[in-house]
Amino acid sequence: MLEWVAALALVGATTFTESMAGQAWQSTRDTLARILGRGSEEREQRALARLDETAAEVVRADGADEAAVLARVAGQWETRLQDFLDEHPEARGELEALVSQARAALPEERATRVTQTLSRNRIKGDAIVIGSAGRDITIGRKP
């Protein structure tokens, strides 16, 4: 999987999940469904139904249950967005713009910082080199 796909799916899923209980969700919901539909009315309607179902779960969650529900829902949408971006990489710009718009509309207390960390991973086969904070991390053998 491409690094940008994983990162955008993670940030998008987290942002959209946090947005679901807010006032700006309707606009985000409609735009996200249109992006996911890729011009197909049927796919767009399925996306709307899934988004509405998920948003209802988020709105019903409260107290100690809220964090668990948000984490589960964000995980589900992360997987969906990864699959979608793998299939439709041309949607990257649209999705990035929507994530930025949705993040800007979040109240400060709902905004979540997303960090990905790799630690002690072993990969067999070709090496992957990733730049990080002024140094390179090599996973596997150096090329």
Side-chain angles (χ1 to χ4, degrees):
M1 176 186 323
L2 296 174
E3 183 180 327
W4 70 265
V5 169
L8 181 53
L10 176 63
V11 173
T14 303
T15 300
F16 299 144
T17 300
E18 290 289 341
S19 298
M20 288 178 178
Q23 294 177 349
W25 171 241
Q26 194 66 37
S27 171
T28 300
R29 165 201 178 262
D30 294 344
T31 304
L32 181 55
R34 182 186 50 75
I35 291 169
L36 295 173
R38 304 312 293 157
S40 165
E41 182 68 27
E42 181 182 333
R43 282 193 306 253
E44 187 172 333
Q45 290 305 312
R46 279 197 315 261
L48 284 169
R50 187 172 273 163
L51 288 165
D52 289 344
E53 180 181 311
T54 305
E57 283 182 67
V58 170
V59 170
R60 283 192 306 265
D62 62 352
D65 200 32
E66 183 181 20
V69 169
L70 289 173
R72 181 178 47 75
V73 167
Q76 292 169 347
W77 277 100
E78 181 181 0
T79 300
R80 288 181 183 128
L81 291 174
Q82 283 177 352
D83 291 345
F84 172 77
L85 288 167
D86 281 339
E87 198 171 315
H88 301 283
E90 75 281 359
R92 178 182 184 175
E94 292 173 272
L95 201 53
E96 286 174 336
L98 182 58
V99 168
S100 293
Q101 176 186 339
R103 287 181 69 76
L106 283 175
E108 188 64 33
E109 67 274 6
R110 296 296 293 182
T112 302
R113 171 160 284 163
V114 178
T115 305
Q116 276 186 311
T117 305
L118 294 176
S119 176
R120 297 182 185 215
N121 290 297
R122 291 185 180 179
I123 297 176
K124 294 183 179 183
D126 296 333
I128 302 168
V129 179
I130 304 167
S132 171
R135 63 186 170 92
D136 287 340
I137 299 171
T138 303
I139 302 172
R141 295 182 309 267
K142 287 190 177 190

